[in-house]
Amino acid sequence: MLVLTRKTGEAICIGDNIEIFITEITKSAVRVGIKAPKNTLVYRKEVYERILQENEEASHTKIDNTKLADLSKIIKNKVLRA
């Protein structure tokens, strides 16, 4: 792990296109700004871990094929009526 010291208004560059700015420092928190390309996903760690957990749970979910067939029929009926 790389540990850097920065002051308010200073930044850190990651690669060629990501900048991390320190916008505010208080006793209990640091406010960080992130400048990155729009296609770069940025999450707080606890949110990212939750996404990974939900993806893992979803990958083990069994699909009820009868419900899937029912849904397919409903969709076909809607398309035919449109």
Side-chain angles (χ1 to χ4, degrees):
M1 175 190 313
L2 174 64
V3 178
L4 301 171
T5 301
R6 301 278 72 202
K7 296 178 182 175
T8 301
E10 295 181 334
I12 298 166
C13 294
I14 300 175
D16 293 332
N17 55 5
I18 299 174
E19 290 182 76
I20 310 294
F21 296 92
I22 307 305
T23 62
E24 181 181 0
I25 301 171
T26 67
K27 285 184 178 181
S28 61
V30 175
R31 185 169 281 224
V32 176
I34 302 168
K35 183 178 178 183
K38 290 186 180 200
N39 64 343
T40 302
L41 301 176
V42 179
Y43 299 103
R44 293 178 309 183
K45 185 174 181 178
E46 65 273 15
V47 171
Y48 183 70
E49 288 172 345
R50 181 71 179 156
I51 290 168
L52 293 178
Q53 177 185 353
E54 289 181 5
N55 286 345
E56 179 67 22
E57 291 170 4
S59 71
H60 298 295
T61 301
K62 300 235 182 225
I63 296 174
D64 182 348
N65 286 330
T66 58
K67 297 211 181 284
L68 190 57
D70 292 344
L71 180 59
S72 179
K73 287 177 188 175
I74 291 169
I75 292 170
K76 283 180 186 176
N77 287 337
K78 295 265 184 195
V79 169
L80 292 175
R81 290 181 188 175

